[in-house]
Amino acid sequence: MSLADLPGTVDRALLAAGTATYDCHDFETLYKVPEALQAVVETLRGLGFATVARPPGYHVDPAVKSLRTAVRKAVAASPVIVVYYTGHGAHPERDTYYLVTKKSRPADLGGTAEPAADLLRLLTRRDDQGEAAADQPMVLVILDCCFSGGAGMEMLGDALRGIGNPNTWVIASAGALEYAQQGLFAEAFCDALRRPATGPSQRFVSLDWIVQAVNDAHAGQAQQQARLFPPATGSTGIPPFFPNPCHQPGLAGLTVADQHWMSRVRGGPQESTTGFYLTGKTGRLRAAAHLAAWMTDPGPKGLAVVTGSPGTGKSALLALPVLLTDRFRRADLMRAAEPGS
């Protein structure tokens, strides 16, 4: 879904843009840019992001003016913003870091390319008088370009001087002296968000963990390492950029073992840990009654075997007696149960 299809503001906005072709032959064509943009858009849409661009949800070969306009549009649209840009980056000696666009020329980057540090200013929400608003959006800038670590350091330096939006994080796909391989970061980044190794009690995925997962994914395959640059004012916790798809409310404070069994007994994400996913008068409920009768039978016992096709509730059935043997978990489970349950 794009912002054009939604009235008012949205919870999370994504500006995805990149440059694949260049008028100047000094910059080679990057054939994988559209593929990387599509992967990022599809992944973040699945996490609830609305795109600034109309279908297909990203800008390819945007002019500098169009890119700036899109950034301002994102700032006005949401309290949580992710800007992903991929393409060539250039950092001339004794100059700033530039995002190289389609019409950029090496001899005039200042007039034909976009200084990455300017994103800090563009991502600042301002009032009618041009003053910085008190309520600034949370912003993550992802630069998937060669030498993009240099841009991250410049943006952090400006932030330390009080310039731009103070709530800005930056992820660079490569160090200040490292080349970025086409599509490598985007693939690992999307894989990390789709399958995060984050516990179900954690609501959002940590940016530190994402960067580590990206670097682990292509360790030994490429001479580049992603880097995270937090806001100059510091971070007070995990920023709310990427919702954890495995999050289950109500598990915070439980042990890892309790989290495992509680998630199994519920049989799926719920809004509360009260109750459990064994309903009706047949199927799982009947199997639970049979299992309980077998466990409480004072006579000699053999072996109980629980079988069933995938998704029929074997884990929920086995998790129930585990939790019922703990008096605190039993009280939570039985709180909403009807008499005689």
Side-chain angles (χ1 to χ4, degrees):
M1 188 73 71
S2 72
L3 297 181
D5 303 316
L6 298 169
T9 60
V10 296
D11 291 338
R12 291 176 177 79
L14 167 65
L15 168 56
T19 304
T21 60
Y22 302 82
D23 291 348
C24 178
H25 296 303
D26 288 349
F27 303 112
E28 66 173 318
T29 300
L30 300 176
Y31 294 101
K32 294 186 177 181
V33 161
E35 180 183 333
L37 290 169
Q38 183 177 355
V40 169
V41 166
E42 290 179 354
T43 299
L44 295 196
R45 274 179 173 165
L47 294 176
F49 281 79
T51 58
V52 173
R54 293 180 179 273
Y58 52 83
H59 300 280
V60 177
D61 297 346
V64 170
K65 184 177 180 180
S66 298
L67 181 60
R68 287 173 161 252
T69 298
V71 172
R72 294 191 183 98
K73 184 177 179 181
V75 169
S78 177
V80 179
I81 303 163
V82 171
V83 176
Y84 172 80
Y85 183 86
T86 183
H88 283 303
H91 198 178
E93 188 175 358
R94 297 184 180 277
D95 201 348
T96 191
Y97 184 97
Y98 294 97
L99 303 180
V100 180
T101 58
K102 181 176 178 61
K103 297 184 179 300
S104 295
R105 300 191 306 274
D108 185 23
L109 290 174
T112 60
E114 174 62 25
D118 280 3
L119 292 176
L120 275 176
R121 301 169 180 83
L122 293 170
L123 289 163
T124 303
R125 187 173 292 164
R126 299 189 178 276
D127 59 24
D128 294 338
Q129 306 302 317
E131 298 294 331
D135 185 21
Q136 292 294 326
M138 305 282 281
V139 178
L140 172 62
V141 176
I142 303 174
L143 299 177
D144 190 2
C145 316
C146 294
F147 323 122
S148 50
M153 289 188 287
E154 284 188 10
M155 295 171 74
L156 179 58
D158 281 355
L160 286 168
R161 292 190 291 273
I163 298 173
N165 184 343
N167 301 327
T168 303
W169 283 254
V170 178
I171 291 179
S173 69
L177 301 177
E178 296 172 351
Y179 288 92
Q181 184 175 320
Q182 286 191 63
L184 192 71
F185 172 88
E187 181 181 3
F189 172 74
C190 293
D191 285 345
L193 288 180
R194 284 192 294 264
R195 291 180 290 272
T198 300
S201 64
Q202 189 168 302
R203 186 177 178 188
F204 299 103
V205 182
S206 164
L207 299 184
D208 286 296
W209 181 86
I210 292 172
V211 169
Q212 182 68 63
V214 168
N215 290 333
D216 288 345
H218 56 243
Q221 302 176 31
Q223 299 300 314
Q224 69 180 87
Q225 279 197 315
R227 287 160 171 79
L228 172 65
F229 299 87
T233 53
S235 176
T236 58
I238 300 175
F241 293 114
F242 304 118
N244 177 10
C246 303
H247 174 61
Q248 296 186 26
L251 295 184
L254 302 183
T255 66
V256 173
D258 280 347
Q259 289 184 27
H260 170 80
W261 290 115
M262 190 66 76
S263 64
R264 293 301 183 272
V265 78
R266 284 158 53 187
Q270 301 288 332
E271 293 302 319
S272 169
T273 56
T274 302
F276 47 86
Y277 198 60
L278 291 176
T279 58
K281 296 182 179 180
T282 60
R284 298 180 186 181
L285 195 62
R286 179 181 292 176
H290 289 170
L291 183 61
W294 175 82
M295 294 175 66
T296 57
D297 186 349
K301 291 183 175 63
L303 178 68
V305 179
V306 178
T307 64
S309 302
T312 55
K314 299 185 297 297
S315 294
L317 176 62
L318 294 174
L320 182 58
V322 172
L323 294 170
L324 287 176
T325 58
D326 182 301
R327 61 190 183 95
F328 297 108
R329 298 283 82 81
R330 181 169 63 249
D332 288 338
L333 289 169
M334 298 300 294
R335 188 172 296 126
E338 297 178 358
S341 170

